């Protein structure tokens, strides 16, 4: 055996266990024994606890910074978010708020794949909020994606505008639940949402007690 062949054989032996592990996580077996991707498995989703999440809507400013002169400060659009009081009520409404900063997809996608947040919320009796990012899911200004995604209107899809939405929602939730000023809001997020969570904490320390960001 040549040196090159021996080296390649060594690499293959090292990589094989990781390939098998990756494949085992990427598929699940349905009742009839056919493998299918985990995210598309209906049985898995039916068994997944929804944690009593309730869909709600919040009217946020269309343009927080007057980017365009023809958008008035009074113009708003409905931003969707989900909230569960299950664990918060168990603590008599004295716990923190875990706030997931939605990123570039329908917020329900992240809600169904963020079990860690609910596990942690149960431990500390936290209110859990999943906020949808503007221009995604069902949170479109201008009446829907048809008008919102035009060259004239898409300029309001920015990091700054999205962060302002979440800051306004933070204040709205504090008021709706009569929270004392000392209530800690922890921002959560992954990938781009992780950056949002981090930036929210860095830019507005009076509203966010901390952030947990993942890649």
């Amino acid at each position: 055996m040549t040196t090159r062949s021996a080296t390649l054989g060594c690499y293959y032996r090292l990589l094989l266990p990781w390939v098998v592990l990756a494949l085992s996580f990427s598929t699940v077996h349905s009742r009839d024994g056919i493998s299918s991707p985990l995210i598309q498995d209906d049985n898995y989703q039916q068994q997944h606890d929804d944690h009593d999440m309730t869909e709600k809507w919040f009217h946020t400013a269309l343009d927080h910074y007057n980017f365009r002169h023809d958008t008035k400060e009074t113009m708003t659009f409905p931003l969707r978010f989900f909230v569960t009081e299950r664990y918060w009520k168990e603590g008599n409404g004295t716990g923190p708020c875990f706030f997931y900063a939605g990123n570039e997809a329908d917020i329900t996608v992240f809600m169904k794949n963020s079990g860690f947040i609910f596990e942690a919320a149960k431990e500390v009796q936290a209110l859990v909020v999943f906020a949808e990012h503007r221009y995604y899911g069902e949170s479109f200004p201008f009446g829907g994606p048809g008008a919102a995604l035009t060259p004239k209107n898409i300029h309001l899809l920015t990091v700054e505008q999205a962060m302002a939405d979440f800051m306004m929602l933070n204040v709205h939730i504090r008021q709706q639940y009569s929270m004392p000023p000392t209530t800690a809001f922890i921002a959560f997020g992954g990938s781009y949402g992780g950056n949002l969570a981090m930036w929210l904490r860095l830019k507005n320390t009076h509203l966010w007690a901390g952030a947990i960001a993942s890649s």
Side-chain angles (χ1 to χ4, degrees):
M1 181 181 292
T2 65
T3 302
R4 184 184 178 199
S5 298
T7 302
L8 289 174
C10 181
Y11 284 147
Y12 291 149
R13 285 193 294 272
L14 288 172
L15 288 173
L16 182 59
W18 295 103
V19 172
V20 172
L21 182 63
L23 289 173
S24 67
F25 276 106
S26 66
T27 61
V28 294
H29 296 280
S30 60
R31 293 176 182 175
D32 58 5
I34 300 174
S35 296
S36 59
L38 177 62
I39 197 170
Q40 297 176 358
D41 188 85
D42 294 335
N43 293 329
Y44 173 83
Q45 295 295 352
Q46 290 171 5
Q47 296 169 9
H48 201 276
D49 187 359
D50 66 0
H51 303 278
D52 300 328
M53 297 297 289
T54 302
E55 182 184 59
K56 296 191 176 185
W57 297 86
F58 160 73
H59 283 271
T60 187
L62 174 64
D63 186 355
H64 297 277
Y65 302 103
N66 195 25
F67 278 0
R68 201 170 76 191
H69 296 301
D70 61 344
T71 54
K72 299 179 180 178
E73 294 180 1
T74 55
M75 296 176 68
T76 64
F77 74 96
L79 190 80
R80 183 171 63 153
F81 67 99
F82 287 82
V83 61
T84 179
E85 304 173 10
R86 180 195 290 185
Y87 309 115
W88 190 64
K89 284 184 175 179
E90 290 176 0
N92 298 316
T94 59
C97 176
F98 289 172
F99 187 107
Y100 186 93
N103 37 312
E104 66 277 26
D106 189 302
I107 191 60
T108 59
V109 173
F110 306 110
M111 193 170 67
K112 294 176 181 178
N113 292 278
S114 302
F116 161 72
I117 296 178
F118 297 106
E119 292 173 4
K122 185 176 182 179
E123 292 294 323
V124 299
Q125 289 82 49
L127 186 77
V128 178
V129 175
F130 276 76
E132 192 160 66
H133 196 294
R134 60 167 54 203
Y135 284 77
Y136 289 98
E138 297 183 16
S139 298
F140 281 93
F142 304 105
L149 298 177
T150 61
K152 178 182 178 181
N153 295 327
I154 201 170
H155 74 289
L156 293 174
L157 172 57
T158 68
V159 172
E160 294 83 1
Q161 299 282 4
M163 288 176 61
D165 291 337
F166 294 156
M167 288 184 288
M168 288 187 66
L169 182 54
N170 177 312
V171 174
H172 173 77
I173 291 169
R174 290 178 184 274
Q175 294 172 346
Q176 289 294 305
Y177 288 94
S178 302
M179 293 176 169
T182 54
T183 299
F185 271 61
I186 310 298
F188 287 77
S191 188
Y192 162 52
N195 284 296
L196 285 175
M198 176 185 66
W199 292 327
L200 287 168
R201 163 61 180 165
L202 289 173
K203 295 292 186 179
N204 301 275
T205 55
H206 64 295
L207 292 177
W208 309 92
I212 297 179
S214 65
S215 176

